[in-house]
């Protein structure tokens, strides 16, 4: 469809942290830095790991907890170094079919919520079955990139 796509993602490991009781913007900031320290060597092997995209944030309806995640690079998927920060963990996400809506510009929590609402309305109108109680935001660009930015919202297909 021109206004969304359905992607099949393979099982993969992500490094994640949950930030509680903050605004989404503040949770993203705090979570990003915890994960950035992990890839900069705050892990059991004191290993630097390449930054990957996207950076995702799990947003649950009516919940003030946000899970921020970095994709573990392919060369570390089999055995990622364990985090030394107790707030950071490795998670294995199962293979999944995901409805994706892409948009440009600088994405705020409000813009992500607006795009998620548009995507959920389109999916309902087309009779698609999906998990409506949560969505992921996905950001692909450094804050220093000014043009041709790429952002996404993801709903998991049921």
């Amino acid at each position: 469809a021109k206004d969304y796509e359905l992607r099949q993602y393979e099982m993969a490991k992500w490094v994640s942290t949950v930030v509680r009781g903050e605004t989404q913007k503040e949770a993203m900031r705090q979570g990003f830095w915890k994960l950035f320290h992990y890839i900069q060597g705050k892990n059991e092997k004191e290993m630097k790991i390449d930054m990957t995209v996207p950076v995702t944030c799990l947003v649950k309806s009516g919940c003030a907890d946000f899970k921020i995640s970095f994709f573990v690079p392919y060369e570390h998927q089999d055995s990622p170094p364990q985090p030394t920060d107790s707030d950071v963990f490795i998670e294995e996400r199962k293979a999944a079919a995901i409805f994706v809506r892409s948009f440009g510009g600088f994405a705020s929590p409000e813009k992500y919520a607006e795009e998620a609402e548009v995507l959920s309305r389109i999916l309902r109108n087309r009779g698609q079955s999906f998990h409506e109680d949560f969505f992921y935001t996905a950001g692909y660009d450094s804050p220093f990139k000014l043009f041709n930015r790429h952002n996404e919202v993801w709903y998991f297909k049921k």
Side-chain angles (χ1 to χ4, degrees), residues 68-135:
I68 296 83
S69 306
F70 289 1
F71 179 77
V72 172
Y74 292 109
E75 63 267 26
H76 299 292
Q77 278 288 318
D78 289 339
S79 60
Q82 288 303 305
T84 53
D85 179 338
S86 61
D87 291 340
V88 176
F89 56 95
I90 303 294
E91 69 168 318
E92 190 169 280
R93 293 189 192 166
K94 293 183 181 85
I98 300 176
F99 293 108
V100 178
R101 180 171 170 82
S102 300
F103 60 99
F106 280 89
S108 63
E110 295 75 23
K111 179 67 174 164
Y112 277 124
E114 183 182 305
E115 293 292 337
E117 180 52 42
V118 169
L119 178 55
S120 69
R121 191 171 35 221
I122 291 167
L123 294 174
R124 280 193 294 272
N125 288 344
R126 300 217 175 124
Q128 295 286 0
S129 183
F130 63 102
H131 293 276
E132 298 187 40
D133 52 335
F134 69 91
F135 65 90

Side-chain angles (χ1 to χ4, degrees), residues 4 8 16 23 28 45 62 77-78 88 96 125 130 138 141-142:
Y4 73 91
Q8 180 65 43
S16 302
T23 63
M28 281 294 294
K45 295 181 182 166
Q77 278 288 318
D78 289 339
V88 176
N125 288 344
F130 63 102
D141 301 302
S142 119

